[in-house]
Amino acid sequence: MKTAIVTGGAQGIGRAVVERLLGDGWAVAAFDLDAQAVKELAAAHAPRPLLALTVDVGDEQAVGEAFEAFGAWLGELDEEPGLDLLVSNAGAANPVSGPVEALSLAGWHKWIDSHLTGGFLMTRAAVPLLRPRKGSIILMASTRALQSEPHCEAYAAAKGGLVALAHALAVSLGPDIRVNAILPGWIETGPWHKASQRTEPDHRPIDRDQHPVGRVGVPEDIAATVAFLAGEGAGFITGQQIVVDGGMTRKMIYAD
């Protein structure tokens, strides 16, 4: 059985990835900071091969303890120690941090640690498990690594760092481990939140029309990309940034 760890796996894009991998027959560990969302995810999938843990991926000790629990869980499944896929998806969600002159150092670290430092800590712990299985790593970046709205400096820097980390790791870890970054655009995650925060999409025609494909993205779009990149058909793809945005970043916009 193939094994995967998905961070930020209890809500949003991460949960869609977890659902896709479980549906494809993987054993999946979901690490997420939101304890209630973790509880709901675990309840929804018992007794499928799912380990749902509350983990702060920006905390070195917490990551180490989570990997110990992952190893013990594999033993309970009668699986050999090892990992086929790491999806580093966790991170603070709202990209707007306010004017840069008012951004505190603690605020800056909130974004960098949850996305970029978390990606590093998870990768460092995962590599010894990935290498024997010729596994792969997917770092979840964003199209905001390539373009911005005002007051998103910390988020953009964190996501841009993940893009750079992906190609650096691909060179360092190849040929044993492939590493790629996915850059989602506008993805509607409302239906994929925990019950208390779940919302239904309400998009205006202009929201849909600004995408060349004619709609806003859904988490399933990103989950499908993860499934492809983790599969044998993507064996010659590493060090890449895969933009999944319905063509939005390719559409020129002129002010009236």
Side-chain angles (χ1 to χ4, degrees):
M1 183 182 298
K2 288 188 175 182
T3 62
I5 295 175
V6 181
T7 69
Q11 297 190 89
I13 288 172
R15 177 154 183 171
V17 172
V18 169
E19 303 268 6
R20 173 61 187 261
L21 294 174
L22 286 172
D24 289 347
W26 292 60
V28 183
F31 297 174
D32 200 290
L33 187 59
D34 190 311
Q36 182 58 41
V38 167
K39 182 178 179 180
E40 291 180 12
L41 176 68
H45 289 286
R48 297 175 79 177
L50 170 70
L51 174 67
L53 297 177
T54 304
V55 183
D56 179 356
V57 299
D59 181 276
E60 185 174 27
Q61 181 176 341
V63 169
E65 292 172 353
F67 270 83
E68 289 180 6
F70 175 71
W73 177 67
L74 289 180
E76 294 172 3
L77 294 176
D78 291 327
E79 288 288 327
E80 291 293 327
L83 183 63
D84 296 287
L85 173 65
L86 168 65
V87 182
S88 183
N89 167 75
N94 184 359
V96 179
S97 54
V100 68
E101 63 268 29
L103 179 61
S104 68
L105 183 59
W108 171 267
H109 279 301
K110 167 190 170 184
W111 300 102
I112 300 300
D113 287 351
S114 66
H115 291 276
L116 185 54
T117 304
F120 158 69
L121 290 174
M122 288 296 303
T123 296
R124 186 179 67 178
V127 163
L129 298 175
L130 287 163
R131 187 172 276 122
R133 294 200 183 188
K134 305 289 186 180
S136 66
I137 298 170
I138 297 172
L139 303 180
M140 202 65 67
S142 168
T143 53
R144 289 176 186 265
L146 308 176
Q147 59 182 42
S148 290
E149 293 179 301
H151 311 314
C152 296
E153 286 77 15
Y155 187 88
K159 292 302 194 181
L162 285 169
V163 170
L165 181 61
H167 65 67
L169 287 170
V171 173
S172 298
L173 300 178
D176 293 334
I177 301 171
R178 295 184 301 107
V179 187
N180 292 289
I182 296 177
L183 284 62
W186 183 350
I187 305 296
E188 175 57 67
T189 61
W192 290 85
H193 289 304
K194 62 183 179 181
S196 63
Q197 296 181 359
R198 199 165 296 149
T199 60
E200 290 301 317
D202 183 20
H203 299 134
R204 303 166 298 168
I206 193 173
D207 297 329
R208 297 186 290 271
D209 292 346
Q210 65 182 311
H211 295 80
V213 300
R215 66 173 175 85
V216 174
V218 293
E220 293 94 327
D221 294 319
I222 307 304
T225 309
V226 168
F228 167 70
L229 288 174
E232 294 181 1
F236 200 54
I237 301 175
T238 193
Q240 302 304 307
Q241 53 189 57
I242 312 298
V243 175
V244 186
D245 72 341
M248 189 174 176
T249 55
R250 294 304 190 192
K251 186 172 182 179
M252 296 183 70
I253 299 174
Y254 292 92
D256 292 333

